[in-house]
Structure formats: C-alpha cells, structure tokens
Amino acid sequence: MCGIAGLTGEFNSQAAKSILLKMTNRMAHRGPDGDGHFVQPGIALGHRRLSIIDLSTAASQPMTDPSGRYTIVYNGEVYNFREVKAELKNQTFQSNSDTDVILAAYIEWGAECLSKLNGMFAFAIWDTVEETLFIARDRLGIKPLYYHFDGTNLVFASEIRSLLESGKVPRKLSRATISEYLRYYTINGPNTLIRDVYMLRAGEYGIWQDGNFSTHPFWQLTPEDPQVHTDNYQQTCARVQELLREAVAKRLISDVPFGAFLSGGIDSSAIVALMAQVSDMPVNTFSVTFHEKAFDESPYSDLIAKKYNTTHHPIRLSPDDFLKDLPEALAAMDHPSGDGINSYVVSKVTRQTGFTVALSGLGGDELFAGYPVFRRFEKLHNMRMFYGIPTPIRSALGKSVSTVYNNQKTARLQELISLDGTDFEDIYPVFRKCFDDDEIVQLVGFHTPANKQLLQVIDEKELGRINGLPVFSQVSVGEISTYTRNVLLRDADQMSMATSLEVRVPFFDHELVEYTLGIPDEYKNPVFPKKLLVDALGDLLPGEIVHRPKMGFVFPWNQWIRQDLKKFCEDRIFRLANRELFNGEVVRTMWKEFLNNSKRVNWIRIWMLVVLEDWMERNGIEA
C-alpha cells in the first residue's frame, strides 16, 4: 500500500524532480517507509512506500525491469501474485514482491495482464522504447487514481492534493459537479470537485503516447450477458462460503502484523470467523467500545473474540474522543465527505497498536441486501399498476402530500410518486439524496439532473444489462457504483492511509461479487438481516450475532453542531455564504433554521457544507 505520482511532457529534469518531491511529500502519510523517483526525458514517476510484502530494498519503487525498458510505480496489493508469477516462465525477477510480478506480467501480456490480477491496485508503467505510459485501476475501484490531462500532457497521483501540489492543475472548483455534491454529499467518478481532474474509472486502464490519452475498460461490474444462477439454495450457500473463505485467505498474505476490525455485527464477525479457519495463528481483532450501553457493541464483539480465541484489542472511546480527533480527520480528507470520521479514529488507534494491515467487513450489506434501500427499491419496482396512472395525476397527489407535511421525507416521497417508470434508471437516482433539485437551484442557481449524472457513472449500454439482473442485484450494482465506491471505499482509503494503515475488503473480491450478482432474489430475500450470508456461514455465526438488535455508534452531531462545534461550523457556513457561487442568503437562512430545530434542515445538510468550505480553505480552492 503506497502513494504514486507522475507526469509526462517536455521538462527540465531538475524541475521535474522538484515537482515530484512536492507531489510525493504531500502524501507522505501513504508511505512513511520510503520515497523514490524516476526521471527521464518525457516522464517523471514518484512513489511513497508502505512496506507490506518483501520489506527489503529490492522491492523499492520506482522499479525498473532488468532490461531497463520498463519502469513501474504501484499502489495496492495483488493477492494472487505467486500464482501469476508461476505462469511467467520467461521473466526474470529481482525481488519477492508483487510489484515485480505486475511489471513482468505487463511485459509478457500487455494490457491483458489485468485479467490475471486479483487484488486492489493502481499502477503506472513507462515504456522507454515506445515512450508510452500505461495506467490502470482495480476492478472494484478500491484504490484511487486521479489524473489531469491538458490536451497534451498527463499528471496523475493517488490523491487530489498531490495533483494540486504539482502546480499543473488549477485550484478551481468544478461548477459542473457541485450540484452532484449537494445532491449526494459526494462526487461519483470519473468526476471530482476539481475542474478538469478525473478519477480513472474502476476496472479501467489508460494509455498516454505522443500527447494523446485514451481510457479503456477491462472489466465491468455488470456482465455482458446477465445470467441468473441455476444452483439450488444449498449449492448457492456452499458456493458463497467457499468464495468468501478464499477471498479471506488471499488477503492474509503479509510480511507485517495484520488484524481485523470487529464490531460484532454479521459482516465483521463473518470475516473474523473465516480468518480463524484459514489462519495458522491467532487472529488479532480490534473493537471500539463505549461506556454508553445504548450503542456499545462490546458484548457481541467479545462473544466472537472468545468463540474464535482471538487476541482481542478493545479500544474504549467516548464521543469526546471523536470530537478531539475531528480536526485531524478533516485534515485527512483528500476529497470532502459527509462521513469518514469513524474510519479515521478506528484506523488511527489500530495503527498505534502496532499493526499495518487490517481486514474489514465492508461490502456485506451491498452484496446481501443489508440496507433498507433494497426493500424500498423492490417495493417501488413492483408497483407497475400505480405507475400506470398518468403522471399529472400522480404528481398532483404528491404535491398534496408535500403541502400537508412540509419536510425532507415528504419531498422525497413526492418525487418518488411522480417518477416516469419503475426501471433502475428511474428509481435509483432518487435514493441517498441530501438536497433536492429545487433546493440545489436555490443554493447555487442551477443543477444537473440526477439521471444525467447517473449516465456519467453507468452508461446506457450498461443500464440495459442492469435491468436484466435480479432486482436485489440491480440495487447492489447501484450501491457499489455510487455510494459504496465514492463514499465508503474512498473514505476507507483516505482515512486509513492518513494513518499509514492498509485496509483490505474480502467482500469486494471480484469473483465473489460476480457470483453474487447472479443469485436469484428469492435466495437473498432478507426475512432477517442478510439471510443468505448467514445461512452460507452456518454455525460459524452464533444466533446472538445474527438476531441481535440493530445498534451502532451514532455521533451526536445535532448536539455538537449546535454546541461544541457551533463557532467552527458557523465560521465556515458564513464564509461559504460569502462565496460568489452560493446564494448567501439561502445558506445563512439554512443555518438559522437548523439552530431553531427546523425539520426541513437536518444536521447532515449543514455538515456537508461545513466540510466543503473547510476542504476548499485547506487546499486553496477557488469557487
């Protein structure tokens, strides 16, 4: 796990080295174990190293092959690198690292090497003979890769802040994407909040040569020919357990201490149970515990730790501990997010305990219908008779409901009642909204329709394939492509790497994902939470874990923003209101309504504006 950076073009070698140093220094937290640079005419590559596999200097980067033709910088982990290495009979290796294997695989197979790799990765390879730069990102988008192409030259990095430090990227807010941030409190790739800065899409590679740059998919979340599996329920359960066990086993490869986050919920408990099965040593587990019984999950995490004889590390925290770490967490944000504080604090204390790698249960909800959005989508999708009523009549009904109950929930209900249809592209863009379209127009004077933003994430051809999937799998694709990839995975990366901790996510093994998307809805039907996953694991999960009451720590944001953080938030709200892009009167009115406990303005609406302004100030971004 590391940080990478690079640029192409005509430049003075000394100047290029200076730029690279600025870029890699800006993300030194991603790689405290080493700093390397490669500069030749037309190319400059930089690397920060967090040593995980092969801790020797032989695995340092940038790494050049024995012929001197190819040079790589790489961030991530390829879990099957030994199997791939065994196929490369004609290649020479200079280390025991997966970096060496990726480089050799590219030399052997070119872009086709990507189909061989199982893991999370972002890398760049320079070909000195062809003067070609090849960049790639893993299938699920677990590792980030940002770039700016000015029409001739390319600049790329693991973090936006590193790109900005190059001096090649204007520090300008993208007005084209601000409405998306307001709608979903994030930006879905490939766009970002910085003008002309993009994310390489998940499952995509790019090629720069002679001043031209093009991108190409090598894997897509939705299969070309969606098929529903014919396995019976018992066979499906057996296959799910097999794939998840294999995913966990792959992710135990490490030359440094590793552990697992354990909340005591189904997903993290499943990961720990399987780790205990496949590991030849006791599993180290980390749990955050609280004095407040209302959201303390320690009885459940303790139960799993005892059942699997883990070396357990309970971390006692209070809400004030999170509040104290808030400035650090905000400073860690490479891209603004309405979430992520929890990830930062847990990662920080895990790293301080002496561990460099941790497995996470992230992804179980997305694959096994764990969110309420699955049921809501299914109900709307099945209401074809209702949506056969002419739209003007349904819209009038929605307006009457909104008039009687004027709050955020009824505004969302009005929008759902007025939909044109019940296909994925009709329903899904309405979910997970923060601000509605009319409110966005009031704030910034314009908005980009949600369906158009969806088409930037999922193209029309893929939409056709999505509609051929089972209903719950359609929601899985929507969640993974948007909220999960651009909030949860991004936060997991930026917050953990801010503390130099690598987080691995077995549920997002692409082979498990591919199989799960083809499972029929009746097998996933959540008559109790994540029934299919629970049944697949059998007696690995105690009944107390499966049927426990819904819990989890909820930050006291309403109290914090009105009391402890009032001055902090108010200062940033007022500074945001003074920016030309925003309607200052509307922003200030929202703040007053929130302080007066208006039901129209919840804390997340205020907090996402505070975070946006704080991020813009820290990075010198002009609106």
Side-chain angles (χ1 to χ4, degrees):
M1 188 70 68
C2 307
I4 64 175
L7 60 152
T8 66
E10 299 295 328
F11 42 65
N12 174 277
S13 294
Q14 192 60 40
K17 180 70 176 291
S18 177
I19 291 171
L20 271 183
L21 278 171
K22 290 179 181 178
M23 294 178 73
T24 54
N25 286 344
R26 188 64 182 86
M27 53 182 178
H29 49 274
R30 297 188 72 93
D33 299 329
D35 189 14
H37 304 88
F38 171 87
V39 180
Q40 283 190 350
I43 186 66
L45 301 174
H47 186 263
R48 293 292 315 202
R49 185 182 185 191
L50 178 63
S51 302
I52 304 289
I53 296 174
D54 189 346
L55 310 185
S56 73
T57 56
S60 296
Q61 299 180 46
M63 180 183 288
T64 300
D65 81 296
S67 75
R69 175 173 175 174
Y70 301 95
T71 300
I72 184 174
V73 286
Y74 156 57
N75 167 36
E77 303 293 346
V78 170
Y79 306 118
N80 66 333
F81 77 96
R82 292 193 178 101
E83 291 84 350
V84 176
K85 188 174 185 176
E87 293 187 52
L88 296 165
K89 308 292 186 183
N90 301 319
Q91 297 296 325
T92 302
F93 300 93
Q94 50 200 323
S95 76
N96 293 314
S97 71
D98 51 344
T99 308
D100 219 350
V101 174
I102 295 172
L103 185 57
Y106 179 76
I107 294 170
E108 183 85 9
W109 298 306
E112 292 300 317
C113 73
L114 297 169
S115 65
K116 303 273 189 178
L117 307 180
N118 185 318
M120 53 181 187
F121 54 81
F123 64 84
I125 295 176
W126 173 253
D127 180 344
T128 300
V129 174
E130 298 291 336
E131 295 187 338
T132 299
L133 182 69
F134 179 88
I135 63 175
R137 188 178 179 211
D138 67 73
R139 294 171 180 83
L140 274 300
I142 300 168
K143 291 291 98 187
L145 189 58
Y146 299 94
Y147 69 89
H148 166 72
F149 178 60
D150 65 6
T152 302
N153 296 311
L154 185 75
V155 189
F156 69 89
S158 297
E159 294 190 356
I160 291 174
R161 291 174 295 191
S162 179
L163 281 183
L164 295 175
E165 204 65 33
S166 72
K168 303 287 185 180
V169 179
R171 295 176 183 260
K172 299 282 189 181
L173 192 73
S174 170
R175 297 195 173 207
T177 60
I178 189 63
S179 66
E180 184 172 10
Y181 177 79
L182 295 172
R183 181 178 284 117
Y184 296 122
Y185 55 85
T186 189
I187 304 296
N188 294 308
N191 297 315
T192 72
L193 267 174
I194 301 294
R195 187 185 306 172
D196 299 326
V197 170
Y198 302 94
M199 296 184 78
L200 193 66
R201 294 175 188 266
E204 188 174 68
Y205 68 88
I207 298 174
W208 179 92
Q209 186 177 35
D210 295 331
N212 299 305
F213 180 66
S214 59
T215 60
H216 314 270
F218 69 88
W219 183 87
Q220 288 184 302
L221 184 55
T222 310
E224 290 286 344
D225 183 20
Q227 298 289 326
V228 178
H229 300 318
T230 58
D231 295 345
N232 64 35
Y233 190 69
Q234 290 71 28
Q235 291 169 329
T236 299
C237 288
R239 184 59 175 152
V240 166
Q241 184 181 132
E242 178 186 21
L243 287 169
L244 185 55
R245 180 184 289 105
E246 289 175 357
V248 168
K250 292 171 190 171
R251 283 157 181 79
L252 298 187
I253 181 171
S254 175
D255 292 331
V256 296
F258 63 84
F261 297 146
L262 176 61
S263 69
I266 290 172
D267 300 335
S268 65
S269 298
I271 298 303
V272 169
L274 292 170
M275 287 176 72
Q277 276 198 341
V278 300
S279 178
D280 56 3
M281 60 184 66
V283 177
N284 286 279
T285 51
F286 299 86
S287 298
V288 172
T289 67
F290 300 95
H291 291 291
E292 296 83 355
K293 290 185 178 180
F295 45 75
D296 179 46
E297 299 180 279
S298 61
Y300 304 103
S301 56
D302 289 348
L303 189 156
I304 292 295
K306 184 176 181 179
K307 178 177 175 65
Y308 291 104
N309 195 30
T310 75
T311 303
H312 194 44
H313 305 264
I315 303 161
R316 178 74 70 176
L317 296 175
S318 70
D320 284 344
D321 292 317
F322 285 83
L323 191 59
K324 289 173 186 175
D325 278 336
L326 187 60
E328 290 181 22
L330 288 172
M333 285 187 182
D334 182 52
H335 195 281
S337 169
D339 206 347
I341 309 301
N342 197 355
S343 297
Y344 177 82
V345 176
V346 174
S347 296
K348 178 182 176 182
V349 294
T350 301
R351 188 68 174 94
Q352 289 173 343
T353 309
F355 289 79
T356 309
V357 178
L359 272 65
S360 165
L362 179 62
D365 286 312
E366 287 80 355
L367 293 184
F368 298 99
Y371 292 133
V373 67
F374 283 86
R375 276 296 195 198
R376 294 169 187 165
F377 184 93
E378 180 192 38
K379 288 178 181 178
L380 287 167
H381 184 78
N382 292 333
M383 292 173 62
R384 296 190 182 276
M385 289 185 63
F386 174 77
Y387 284 96
I389 299 172
T391 302
I393 297 175
R394 286 186 283 108
S395 296
L397 174 63
K399 287 179 181 178
S400 65
V401 172
S402 182
T403 300
V404 176
Y405 303 100
N406 184 20
N407 58 43
Q408 188 178 351
K409 288 184 178 179
T410 54
R412 187 67 36 77
L413 178 60
Q414 177 185 348
E415 186 172 2
L416 289 170
I417 288 173
S418 304
L419 290 175
D420 291 333
T422 61
D423 286 337
F424 176 85
E425 60 268 32
D426 299 311
I427 301 174
Y428 191 78
V430 180
F431 293 117
R432 296 201 180 278
K433 280 189 175 184
C434 184
F435 288 98
D436 293 316
D437 293 348
D438 291 344
E439 294 168 323
I440 294 172
V441 171
Q442 290 175 22
L443 278 166
V444 294
F446 61 91
H447 80 94
T448 304
N451 59 346
K452 288 187 177 180
Q453 289 177 336
L454 181 69
L455 287 174
Q456 294 179 27
V457 181
I458 302 170
D459 63 32
E460 292 188 20
K461 290 182 180 178
E462 191 175 2
L463 281 176
R465 300 198 300 271
I466 290 172
N467 285 313
L469 289 170
V471 171
F472 288 147
S473 293
Q474 292 181 35
V475 183
S476 291
V477 170
E479 289 292 287
I480 294 171
S481 300
T482 57
Y483 174 72
T484 304
R485 187 175 286 158
N486 299 292
V487 176
L488 299 182
L489 287 175
R490 178 186 279 161
D491 283 349
D493 176 82
Q494 66 181 359
M495 293 307 188
S496 64
M497 290 308 295
T499 67
S500 303
L501 177 77
E502 173 177 295
V503 173
R504 299 177 177 179
V505 283
F507 279 110
F508 284 131
D509 184 278
H510 75 272
E511 293 176 352
L512 174 63
V513 171
E514 288 172 345
Y515 180 78
T516 306
L517 291 180
I519 295 174
D521 287 332
E522 56 265 32
Y523 292 178
K524 291 182 184 175
N525 189 15
V527 293
F528 56 82
K530 286 167 276 197
K531 180 181 183 297
L532 173 60
L533 175 60
V534 170
D535 288 348
L537 293 174
D539 60 4
L540 291 178
L541 295 181
E544 297 94 323
I545 298 297
V546 174
H547 302 294
R548 51 171 284 191
K550 187 69 175 176
M551 294 177 67
F553 177 57
V554 178
F555 293 112
W557 285 110
N558 279 306
Q559 173 189 321
W560 283 353
I561 295 174
R562 291 188 173 95
Q563 297 176 20
D564 308 73
L565 295 173
K566 182 178 178 182
K567 186 178 187 309
F568 178 89
C569 293
E570 189 165 77
D571 288 347
R572 283 153 183 78
I573 285 290
F574 286 173
R575 289 201 290 269
L576 185 75
N578 289 331
R579 291 186 182 268
E580 181 183 351
L581 175 61
F582 285 84
N583 184 323
E585 182 179 352
V586 171
V587 174
R588 286 186 286 269
T589 297
M590 281 181 53
W591 174 243
K592 291 177 183 177
E593 289 183 350
F594 174 76
L595 294 179
N596 290 328
N597 296 305
S598 168
K599 292 183 179 180
R600 292 181 61 253
V601 185
N602 60 16
W603 69 265
I604 186 61
R605 293 183 167 204
I606 296 297
W607 184 242
M608 64 184 291
L609 295 178
V610 170
V611 169
L612 175 63
E613 176 61 26
D614 186 78
W615 175 79
M616 291 174 68
E617 291 175 11
R618 289 178 187 274
N619 293 285
I621 307 300
E622 299 177 13

